[in-house]
């Protein structure tokens, strides 16, 4: 057999330890012969795979230089076909001994699937109609010492895909496409808000008080100041300070951190969008959310009608609007408008087998009913409104209905995608709610917030009527990419160490 036929191929069944040994021997041989591929610092490319395929009519016969990873290898004796993958996609390479020379062809024959190469050649189409590059020069730019997963089986194990995302991206094109879409979604969110006059800002990640949401924080220690600090659980309180300071429309897209469980919808760190707009209320924010989801879907996917898990969803129609008490009554039969005391609420919970904690008031028990009976039944986009004060410490009370607030959450296919308020701007009421949160914390509620005196000071200077919104960006990406788990849309999800 020739050197070309003897070259190591991952398509041949071989013991992994033997594969690793052979590849390292090949690298050592290259170095001994003064051809260390890792010493190459630059390769000037003139084209990408996708560009050549999409513009073949213009580029037919044109000289190009491309670079990327060898994905497949088909030896035909004195000619070889490779599939080369770059950041844009794949292109076929046609390498003939007569074009590159016998010495270069024999050298190339010692390389492996997974190696990163650079080639120069001319664009053409094969007799079978495959758009290709006929190679005139070829160079090894980086040696792959680990074999790629078998081409027929790929990298299917989800645990390995998440731990070794770099391999997942190499061998699974659908994974690459998901993260390209994620980038486009975030870009379109920014464009949407920028076009509406919002100012993008950055606020601190390290907080001295864990506030702005009901969540358990990560705690760290600042050595120089000798104080405990918290990784932020929300963006809210600093952004609202900016509204006090005179910015009318602000938003931030950033990482937040919650020291809680991991499942298909939760990761300890995730990306959150929060925005605040002065002189608007819940109705204005609802209209904005409808428009945002529809616009981003149209821009990224080309349609406002999408499929998630086989369910057809309509983002291009007005979203349903229903109060929490109405939808709880719809699915549980319990009318919380008729429940006035904690005892009545606890009795209803017991009758309907809804688990509640000793510190739950009527509002928390209503939320427990919603979680148990209603949430899973919401399929099409729906705004659930009028949340209890007890679970909405930063939302304005509804005039004439003081136990409920001007708040909504957007639910689609049984999941929450957005949370919004007509923001509380009464500093006295805000202090009372902070104090209530401290009482809950003393009773064992680890997610209850603390009193933020500086935020209260800001509010006492006066905050205009304001609408606020939070959207979990990762969940939005899951929705628009038909991804079942949040880990599918995070490049590097949090994983338990193998040790």
């Amino acid at each position: 057999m020739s050197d070309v036929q003897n070259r190591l191929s991952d398509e041949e069944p071989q013991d992994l330890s033997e594969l690793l040994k052979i590849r390292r021997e090949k690298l050592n041989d290259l170095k001994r012969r003064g051809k260390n591929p890792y010493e190459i610092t630059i390769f000037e490319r003139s084209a990408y795979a996708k560009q050549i395929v999409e513009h073949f009519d213009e580029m037919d016969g044109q000289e190009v230089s491309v670079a990327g990873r060898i994905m497949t290898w088909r030896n035909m004796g004195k000619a070889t076909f490779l599939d080369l993958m770059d950041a844009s996609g794949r292109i076929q390479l046609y390498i003939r001994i007569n074009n590159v020379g016998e010495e270069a062809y024999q050298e190339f024959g010692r390389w492996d699937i997974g190696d990163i190469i650079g080639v120069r050649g001319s664009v053409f189409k094969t007799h079978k109609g495959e758009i290709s590059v006929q190679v005139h020069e070829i160079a090894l730019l980086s040696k792959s010492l680990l074999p790629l997963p078998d081409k027929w089986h790929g990298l299917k194990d989800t645990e390995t895909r998440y731990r070794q995302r770099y391999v997942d991206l190499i061998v699974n094109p659908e994974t690459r496409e998901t993260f390209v879409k994620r980038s486009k979604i975030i870009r379109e969110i920014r464009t949407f808000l920028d076009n509406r006059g919002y100012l993008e800002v950055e606020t601190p990640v390290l907080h001295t008080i864990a506030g702005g949401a009901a969540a358990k924080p990560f705690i760290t220690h600042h050595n120089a100041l000798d104080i405990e600090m918290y990784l932020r659980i929300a963006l809210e309180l600093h952004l609202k300070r900016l509204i006090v300071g005179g910015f009318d429309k602000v938003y931030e897209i950033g990482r937040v951190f919650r020291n809680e469980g991991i499942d298909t919808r939760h990761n300890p760190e995730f990306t959150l969008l929060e925005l605040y707009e002065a002189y608007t209320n819940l109705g204005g924010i609802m209209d904005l959310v409808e428009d945002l989801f529809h616009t981003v879907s149209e821009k990224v996917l080309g349609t406002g009608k999408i499929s998630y898990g086989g369910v057809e969803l309509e983002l291009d129609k007005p979203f349903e609007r229903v109060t929490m008490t109405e939808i709880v009554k719809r699915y549980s039969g319990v009318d919380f408008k008729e429940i006035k005391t904690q005892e009545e609420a606890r009795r209803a919970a017991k009758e309907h087998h809804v688990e509640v904690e000793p510190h739950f008031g009527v509002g928390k028990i209503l939320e427990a009913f919603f979680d148990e009976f209603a949430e899973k039944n919401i399929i099409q986009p729906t705004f659930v409104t009028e949340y209890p004060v007890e679970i909405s410490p930063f939302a304005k009370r509804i005039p004439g209905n003081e136990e409920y607030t001007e708040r909504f959450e957007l639910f689609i296919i049984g999941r929450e995608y957005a949370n919004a308020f007509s923001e509380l701007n009464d500093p006295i009421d805000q202090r009372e709610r902070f104090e209530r949160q401290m009482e809950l914390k003393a009773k064992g509620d680890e997610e209850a917030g603390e009193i933020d005196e500086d935020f209260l000071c800001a509010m006492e200077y006066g905050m205009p009527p304001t609408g606020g919104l939070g959207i979990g960006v990762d969940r939005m990406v899951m929705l628009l990419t038909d991804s079942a788990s949040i880990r599918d849309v995070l490049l590097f999800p949090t994983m338990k160490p193998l040790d």
Side-chain angles (χ1 to χ4, degrees), residues 183-198:
S183 179
K184 291 179 179 177
I185 288 165
I186 294 173
R187 182 179 68 209
E188 292 301 336
I189 290 171
R190 283 194 164 97
T191 299
F192 178 91
L193 295 174
D194 292 344
N195 288 343
R196 283 158 178 75
Y198 281 83

Side-chain angles (χ1 to χ4, degrees), residues 335-346:
D335 187 355
F336 270 78
K337 288 183 179 179
E338 303 300 321
I339 293 177
K340 306 300 181 185
T341 67
Q342 186 182 37
E343 290 73 22
E344 291 173 334
R346 295 184 69 83

